[in-house]
Amino acid sequence: MKFLLPLALLTAPLGAEGAQPDLLPVRQIGLELARDIAMGAIEACRQNGYNVSAVVLDRAGNVQAALRDSLAARHTLEIAERKAGMSIMAGTDSGEFRAARGDIRPELNHMAGLIVMDGALPIRAAGSLVGAIGVSGAPGGDKDAACAATALRKIEERLEFAM
């Protein structure tokens, strides 16, 4: 009987203050929007003569859209995804995070799905983090980030009024 009491305490329902809903309302970036953001970044880089890859991750870090321009190196897809992963984890521009947290950069670069480099931006809809875009292939992360920013400006209104 002495073993039943602790088990009963562990499985007892929580009070009202600890109760959580069974289902949570979550904003999730849709495929079409993710595709448009990725293509917008590639088009912006093309205008500057750069062949890049663009990857859009959802808020959980899952790939929602991944595009590689015809002449972009194959490794750019992985790098773009890892840059976007960093932006999801940090909730900020990957370049800003890189500048602010050089102290943990080596450790983070060894984690699967992350790389601390310029070139990724968070995607926010109506104030909520819904994903991130990572771009790779331009001659410098600042140029990758500029292409990502151009893509986000193109769809800014869609994000602002997203339901």
Side-chain angles (χ1 to χ4, degrees):
M1 209 47 149
K2 65 181 178 179
F3 294 108
L4 294 179
L5 183 58
L7 181 60
L9 289 175
L10 289 175
T11 59
L14 296 173
E17 64 278 355
Q20 295 294 315
D22 290 332
L23 300 174
L24 301 172
V26 176
R27 291 187 175 272
Q28 177 71 24
I29 191 167
L31 173 63
E32 291 76 12
L33 180 58
R35 176 205 58 213
D36 293 349
I37 294 169
M39 193 65 213
I42 288 175
E43 288 170 346
C45 275
R46 278 180 178 172
Q47 289 180 348
N48 293 309
Y50 311 137
N51 294 296
V52 301
S53 290
V55 176
V56 174
L57 302 181
D58 67 17
R59 64 188 312 276
N62 299 308
V63 174
Q64 190 66 12
L67 298 173
R68 184 184 63 82
D69 204 352
S70 302
L71 298 177
R74 70 182 183 96
H75 296 95
T76 58
L77 271 172
E78 179 185 351
I79 295 168
E81 181 179 347
R82 292 178 66 193
K83 287 179 180 185
M86 185 73 251
S87 188
I88 289 285
M89 189 200 83
T92 188
D93 175 319
S94 64
E96 289 175 9
F97 183 85
R98 179 179 185 259
R101 294 305 311 261
D103 58 324
I104 59 173
R105 180 179 174 194
E107 291 85 359
L108 290 175
N109 283 339
H110 291 289
M111 292 182 67
L114 300 178
I115 194 164
V116 185
M117 295 176 70
D118 292 341
L121 301 174
I123 302 169
R124 298 190 185 280
S128 297
L129 180 67
V130 295
I133 177 170
V135 178
S136 178
D142 58 326
K143 293 171 181 66
D144 292 329
C147 294
T150 298
L152 290 176
R153 279 192 301 276
K154 278 179 65 175
I155 53 87
E156 190 172 37
E157 195 169 290
R158 288 170 68 185
L159 288 172
E160 218 172 283
F161 298 105
M163 295 307 268

